[in-house]
Amino acid sequence: MSIFEYNGSALVAMVGKNCFAIASDRRLGVQLQTIATDFQKIYKIHEKLFIGLSGLATDAQTLYQRLVFRHKLYQLREERDMKPETFASLVSAILYEKRFGPYFCQPVIAGLGDEDKPFICTMDSIGAKELAKDFVVAGTASESLYGACESMFKPDMDAEELFETISQALLSSVDRDCLSGWGGHVYVVTPTEVTERILKGRMD
């Protein structure tokens, strides 16, 4: 078993019309044993920027603390919030810095940039970015997430339709992966509000 599969995870971010959604499962496991069913994998950097961290849970928490520290320094120096593109470059640089002993994380970054244009991207554990205009996925359920998102996604969805689509994609995908599941955690972000919802899976 790969170290990336040790705790299990499913992460997905999807773009709508001037909005985006980011969702994760809620399971924390040690291989096949479930430890917690309310584990947080998506973190808020500021009102219009979120990061989901799949992979090894301890590394995810350590990396998040480093990112918060770096973002607070940026806010103090620049007196503004970081743009999603800038933040993605920061995450990439921090990961690549540790390339010989990497954080075992695969981040998913989602935010609203200039003129509330949605930005999503993911990267591997050494910071190689993958940008997309529709959706990005990460974690042990990534293969089934690709299939579900590919069939359900359509461009320019409004916030409510985007929530329905990302939720159905997530829940149907974690059913096909035994290392992730136990419901979901969804954030839908528009220029004016952030909506957070908890999903119940079949087993809850």
Side-chain angles (χ1 to χ4, degrees):
M1 180 181 271
S2 153
I3 189 69
F4 291 95
E5 296 171 0
Y6 187 73
N7 299 120
S9 51
L11 270 173
V12 54
M14 211 175 259
V15 162
K17 188 167 182 160
N18 292 339
C19 61
F20 71 85
I22 182 167
S24 77
D25 71 317
R26 305 185 75 208
R27 178 182 183 270
L28 172 68
V30 170
Q31 294 182 34
L32 297 178
Q33 181 184 11
T34 300
I35 304 296
T37 59
D38 60 352
F39 190 67
Q40 184 182 356
K41 294 171 190 175
I42 299 171
Y43 304 97
K44 182 165 107 174
I45 303 300
H46 61 74
E47 285 304 318
K48 293 182 180 179
L49 180 61
F50 288 77
I51 183 168
L53 294 168
S54 70
L56 193 66
T58 49
D59 277 5
Q61 290 174 331
T62 306
L63 181 58
Y64 169 64
Q65 285 167 352
R66 279 197 70 186
L67 292 171
V68 166
F69 168 67
R70 293 290 288 270
H71 186 257
K72 281 181 177 167
L73 281 183
Y74 183 92
Q75 282 175 318
L76 285 168
R77 192 182 300 117
E78 301 281 332
E79 295 182 353
R80 64 193 166 103
D81 287 331
M82 215 180 257
K83 288 179 188 168
E85 295 84 351
T86 315
F87 184 71
S89 298
L90 169 67
V91 177
S92 180
I94 286 175
L95 289 171
Y96 191 67
E97 202 176 68
K98 289 268 192 289
R99 65 192 174 279
F100 299 118
Y103 291 115
F104 297 115
C105 283
Q106 197 181 345
V108 167
I109 296 160
L112 290 178
D114 291 335
E115 295 166 17
D116 295 320
K117 189 170 182 284
F119 170 90
I120 54 168
C121 101
T122 184
M123 56 192 79
D124 66 6
S125 60
I126 57 165
K129 279 190 279 193
E130 182 191 332
L131 304 167
K133 290 191 164 54
D134 44 10
F135 57 83
V136 290
V137 302
T140 52
S142 60
E143 284 184 17
S144 48
L145 274 165
Y146 268 122
C149 293
E150 202 72 66
S151 61
M152 293 180 188
F153 178 83
K154 57 180 196 251
D156 293 332
M157 289 184 282
D158 63 23
E160 206 49 49
E161 193 179 2
L162 186 62
F163 166 72
E164 282 298 328
T165 306
I166 201 169
S167 302
Q168 293 294 342
L170 180 77
L171 290 177
S172 64
S173 300
V174 296
D175 283 347
R176 291 165 174 80
D177 174 42
C178 60
L179 296 175
S180 58
W182 285 100
H185 199 167
V186 185
Y187 289 90
V188 180
V189 181
T190 67
T192 52
E193 64 176 344
V194 177
T195 313
E196 179 186 3
R197 291 186 178 104
I198 302 293
L199 305 176
K200 284 215 179 293
R202 286 191 309 150
M203 304 295 288
D204 300 5

